[in-house]
Amino acid sequence: MIRVISVVIIGVLRKGHITEPGLSSLAPYGFINLLNRFRRYYTPRLGTALIGLVIFLLGVIVQEAGFFVSSPESVARISISLYFLAYVFSGYYLFISAVKGLRKLTLSYPFLMVSAGASAFILGSYAEGAAILILMTLGEWLEEAAGKRVRESLFKLYNELPKQVCIIRNAMELMIPVEEIRKGDLVLVRAGEVVPIDGVVKEGGASLDVSSVKGEFYPEIVGVDSRVLAGSVNLDGFLKILAETTYEASTVSRLYQAIAQALKEKGSYERFFERFSRYYSPLVVVIAILFFLGAYAVLGWSAEKAFYSALVFVVVSCPCAFILSTPVATASAMAGSSKRGILIRGSSVLERLNIVKALALDKTGTLTQPEISLSSITLIGDIPEKEVLSYALQLEQSSNHPIAKALRTYAIRNRFEVNGTQVEEVHNQVGGGVEGLVNKKHICIGSLDFVNGHHSYIEDKLESQTEGIRQKAHVVMILEDKPVALFFFEEKLREGAREIKQSFAELGIGQVALLSGDRRENVEKLASTIGITDIYAELTPEEKLTLLREMRQKHGAIAMVGDGINDSAVLAGADVGIAMNTVGNDMVLEGADVVVASEDLFDIPKVFKLGKLAVKTIRVNTAIALIGKFGFAIIALILAYMGVKSLWIAVIGDDGLTLLVILNSIKLLRFMGTKG
């Protein structure tokens, strides 16, 4: 019956937003907003507490003023009945939790509070008995509301996906549930709608708000052949998107699963408090019994005073603030980071971020932009640049290698058009180059080592014409066994790369090393630009792992930051592996401890700051609970000894400490949005 009443109240409150014209005049005072917020966080638990509170206030009115009651005996009977009803209504969910605990043969804190309220009734403190359960239920609702706010922030992206989507299947336009999207479906996304699936734009163009997916606040312009991610918001256009995955395999769905798994991961603090809570309630009961016996038998207190004081001790010892000190802080930190497109895989990762002493950075794709650009072409011989480019573009036309992309970008920027040619027998060597026949002519494009392996005399010929070629050239082009061109490429530093070392020094991470598979001269050039002196070049992933182990032995806990594409094993080998700009990469979502969707290097120091602040918040929460409990216990026991009713202070103190812990924790929701 109690639950039915509270659920009915929910139905009334959740019918719709309060926007009636008659209430619009109250809007300047925030009244409508306040009501809507209340409706948003209303739960059956709050309903039972509010019903109990109303009945309790009626009891106070009858007891103090005697309204509508003729005799003192009637006043006492009616007020006691009202207090008992308030006790029953407000304690409904505590009763259920207490019974569940007893079935498992455990003394839970709801059992202690229900028993404390009943004991207060036995002692004749009827109002206090009802107040204990009202305030404890309100405290539990505060926990629920804080948890709901954190979960809403964590799963905001997932919850905003449309439930129904419009697709074209078999030349017919259909509305289907988002879960039924199949790979190859053509999905229609209009202005204002959320992209429901990962895919490629086949028709149309638009500006997309990708802040929820990548944490970047500037709109992304997309057109035909652009790849889009689920969760992006179409701001102003019309798109036909070819689904690359099913709904279950989409970026948003996998992020949801990763976040859900991260919430289950427990750090050392959380595991400690879980173990602590198992023994806490029985220990409180034992101490309360010993306190009662000592006060009654040794100190000579009356049985009633000793029992009441023991009851005060039980109430003030409620472990709510202790239990909440860790999970609310860690969940708030993860929710706050998710707003910036950063996934942190559990509270244990936050703890490890706090103890990192050394940092290893990958170069390409991490400190530099993922795309390279063709800076210049040096011709060798009489073949003109347009012809050289034509051969190179034709040979690289089907490649997704960064060099091939840079060649195509250079051609587009210089308005260079390629006429149709015949390309045959194309062979790629990973990490080396490409060769094949273009119009029956043999073309070879690649690194000097790759080209020299096919034409052993080439290096000597090049050195005689261009001094220091091994230190300067990136790619050599051979036409019919003759070198015809040198291509020079350059990487662009990401914004914030020059400040990265100083940022980590301010966080107490003084040892920063640069690990790269690139040539030493390139690594040294970039390192000198950003001020890093500890550099390692021309490394394989296995060599990077070996170096990480050596750095850990020398400096302590180490973090690795990479682009996650070819660094997955190295990221997994670090104490904290951080992958940048890799949203949508299955391997990274499974392996990295922290996934940063954006390209903003300033987010990396912020992740470490968040880890340190989260651990600091947990410690402050624990101190608040410990010192606060101790202080309120002393005050309440002194007042009990003096004969003053002090259960009120014990209950209000416990709820107050719980509220302080929650407020101190949820500030982490806003941390990643701050500057610095």
Side-chain angles (χ1 to χ4, degrees):
M1 181 65 181
I2 296 170
R3 191 174 187 279
V4 170
I5 294 173
S6 63
V7 170
V8 168
I9 295 174
I10 284 183
V12 173
L13 284 170
R14 291 186 174 173
K15 186 176 181 181
H17 278 288
I18 302 169
T19 56
E20 284 79 3
L23 293 176
S24 61
S25 61
L26 297 173
Y29 302 96
F31 183 69
I32 293 176
N33 184 51
L34 181 64
L35 287 177
N36 282 327
R37 275 181 173 271
F38 174 78
R39 187 177 53 80
R40 176 183 174 190
Y41 290 107
Y42 181 85
T43 65
R45 192 183 302 274
L46 178 60
T48 60
L50 293 178
I51 292 169
L53 180 61
V54 171
I55 298 172
F56 175 83
L57 293 175
L58 288 174
V60 172
I61 291 171
V62 170
Q63 182 180 348
E64 298 300 326
F67 289 154
F68 310 113
V69 182
S70 57
S71 64
E73 294 81 7
S74 298
V75 168
R77 285 197 302 272
I78 294 174
S79 61
I80 291 171
S81 298
L82 289 170
Y83 289 140
F84 181 73
L85 282 174
Y87 173 86
V88 172
F89 266 94
S90 60
Y92 174 77
Y93 286 98
L94 289 172
F95 297 146
I96 293 175
S97 298
V99 171
K100 288 180 179 178
L102 289 175
R103 285 177 178 173
K104 296 178 182 178
L105 301 179
T106 59
L107 291 176
S108 58
Y109 86 87
F111 173 79
L112 295 184
M113 296 303 104
V114 169
S115 301
S119 300
F121 269 85
I122 293 171
L123 292 175
S125 300
Y126 308 111
E128 287 187 293
I132 289 173
L133 267 65
I134 291 171
L135 292 172
M136 291 308 302
T137 301
L138 286 173
E140 287 206 328
W141 169 75
L142 280 175
E143 296 175 31
E144 280 186 345
K148 181 178 181 181
R149 181 177 176 186
V150 170
R151 285 192 301 274
E152 284 178 351
S153 295
L154 274 169
F155 299 115
K156 179 176 181 287
L157 177 59
Y158 182 82
N159 293 331
E160 287 180 350
L161 283 183
K163 301 296 182 281
Q164 296 279 325
V165 295
C166 184
I167 70 165
I168 296 176
R169 188 182 291 171
N170 299 325
M172 294 179 61
E173 194 169 307
L174 305 171
M175 289 295 294
I176 63 169
V178 67
E179 295 87 355
E180 295 180 9
I181 295 177
R182 299 199 299 251
K183 185 176 180 179
D185 280 341
L186 203 57
V187 182
L188 308 184
V189 182
R190 296 174 175 84
E193 295 180 348
V194 178
V195 176
I197 198 74
D198 300 344
V200 176
V201 177
K202 288 300 178 183
E203 185 178 323
S207 301
L208 296 184
D209 178 355
V210 295
S211 59
S212 294
V213 184
K214 297 183 177 180
E216 296 176 357
F217 298 104
Y218 294 104
E220 184 175 295
I221 310 300
V222 298
V224 175
D225 293 334
S226 297
R227 188 167 184 267
V228 295
L229 295 175
S232 306
V233 181
N234 184 354
L235 298 176
D236 55 11
F238 174 78
L239 299 173
K240 286 185 180 180
I241 300 170
L242 182 68
E244 288 186 323
T245 65
T246 61
Y247 169 75
E248 290 78 11
S250 69
T251 298
V252 171
S253 182
R254 286 183 287 109
L255 281 173
Y256 176 89
Q257 294 165 17
I259 291 170
Q261 183 61 36
L263 288 175
K264 295 177 184 177
E265 298 290 331
K266 301 185 188 302
S268 58
Y269 289 101
E270 202 164 350
R271 290 194 298 270
F272 168 77
F273 282 114
E274 275 194 354
R275 292 194 298 269
F276 170 77
S277 63
R278 293 174 196 165
Y279 306 104
Y280 183 80
S281 295
L283 182 64
V284 167
V285 172
V286 170
I287 293 174
I289 292 171
L290 293 175
F291 181 88
F292 167 76
L293 293 174
Y296 177 69
V298 179
L299 300 179
W301 292 11
S302 67
E304 183 178 344
K305 179 185 287 189
F307 186 77
Y308 185 87
S309 298
L311 192 61
V312 169
F313 174 79
V314 169
V315 173
V316 82
S317 299
C318 174
C320 292
F322 279 117
I323 293 172
L324 285 176
S325 60
T326 298
V328 176
T330 55
S332 296
M334 288 188 287
S337 65
S338 71
K339 292 180 179 179
R340 288 280 297 174
I342 298 171
L343 170 65
I344 297 176
R345 303 182 71 90
S347 56
S348 60
V349 176
L350 288 167
E351 292 177 18
R352 295 201 300 274
L353 284 166
N354 181 59
I355 62 170
V356 166
K357 299 299 180 185
L359 180 72
L361 294 167
D362 179 44
K363 181 180 74 72
T364 305
T366 303
L367 294 174
T368 63
Q369 299 284 356
E371 299 86 11
I372 59 175
S373 61
L374 177 60
S375 59
S376 65
I377 302 174
T378 298
L379 300 175
I380 303 171
D382 301 326
I383 301 178
E385 181 178 309
K386 284 189 176 182
E387 189 174 342
V388 167
L389 266 177
S390 178
Y391 284 129
L393 288 167
Q394 288 300 312
L395 191 62
E396 299 273 16
Q397 63 183 344
S398 60
S399 174
N400 285 320
H401 192 279
I403 285 178
K405 292 179 180 178
L407 285 170
R408 289 195 289 269
T409 302
Y410 181 87
I412 292 170
R413 189 171 66 240
N414 290 277
R415 299 180 179 180
F416 179 77
E417 295 183 2
V418 179
N419 298 321
T421 52
Q422 185 180 4
V423 182
E424 301 172 294
E425 301 180 20
V426 177
H427 301 287
N428 283 284
Q429 179 176 312
V430 177
V434 60
E435 62 177 333
L437 297 178
V438 179
N439 287 342
K440 305 298 183 179
K441 294 181 179 180
H442 183 265
I443 307 291
C444 183
I445 301 175
S447 65
L448 186 59
D449 289 333
F450 171 73
V451 172
N452 202 47
H454 289 70
H455 310 273
S456 58
Y457 59 89
I458 290 296
E459 183 172 3
D460 293 336
K461 183 176 289 189
L462 286 173
E463 287 291 356
S464 66
Q465 299 181 45
T466 310
E467 184 180 354
I469 185 64
R470 183 174 288 279
Q471 284 71 43
K472 296 178 181 179
H474 296 92
V475 170
V476 181
M477 177 174 167
I478 305 297
L479 172 61
E480 298 288 13
D481 293 335
K482 295 179 181 179
V484 293
L486 306 175
F487 295 93
F488 296 86
F489 298 88
E490 63 180 4
E491 295 176 303
K492 291 185 178 179
L493 280 178
R494 289 189 189 275
E495 184 181 357
R498 289 180 173 84
E499 297 84 5
I500 194 81
K501 185 178 180 181
Q502 180 61 31
S503 298
F504 283 108
E506 293 171 359
L507 291 170
I509 304 173
Q511 183 61 35
V512 179
L514 185 58
L515 278 58
S516 178
D518 199 359
R519 293 185 302 177
R520 172 163 293 278
E521 54 268 22
N522 294 337
V523 179
E524 288 177 345
K525 180 180 177 181
L526 182 137
S528 64
T529 304
I530 61 179
I532 295 178
T533 55
D534 195 5
I535 62 171
Y536 303 90
E538 301 178 13
L539 299 174
T540 64
E542 292 77 15
E543 289 171 334
K544 288 183 181 180
L545 268 175
T546 302
L547 271 171
L548 278 185
R549 296 189 186 103
E550 293 174 359
M551 291 179 68
R552 182 186 291 115
Q553 290 176 355
K554 186 176 180 180
H555 303 290
I558 185 168
M560 173 73 190
V561 183
D563 62 10
I565 297 170
N566 57 358
D567 292 319
S568 54
V570 188
L571 294 176
D575 294 289
V576 180
I578 303 175
M580 278 196 67
N581 191 30
T582 50
V583 66
N585 186 304
D586 292 344
M587 189 178 295
V588 173
L589 283 176
E590 291 297 325
D593 297 305
V594 181
V595 179
V596 181
S598 75
E599 300 180 4
D600 190 350
L601 268 179
F602 291 111
D603 279 343
I604 304 300
K606 275 195 172 186
V607 167
F608 285 87
K609 287 181 183 178
L610 181 62
K612 292 179 181 295
L613 184 59
V615 171
K616 180 181 178 181
T617 301
I618 291 170
R619 291 170 179 169
V620 170
N621 287 346
T622 305
I624 288 173
L626 187 63
I627 297 170
K629 290 283 183 187
F630 186 73
F632 278 112
I634 291 176
I635 295 170
L637 289 172
I638 290 174
L639 291 175
Y641 174 77
M642 296 170 60
V644 178
K645 301 284 187 181
S646 57
L647 274 175
W648 297 85
I649 294 174
V651 178
I652 292 173
D654 179 74
D655 277 1
L657 291 174
T658 300
L659 181 60
L660 276 177
V661 165
I662 291 172
L663 292 176
N664 189 49
S665 298
I666 61 176
K667 69 184 182 185
L668 294 170
L669 283 170
R670 298 184 296 272
F671 172 77
M672 291 301 289
T674 60
K675 294 181 179 180

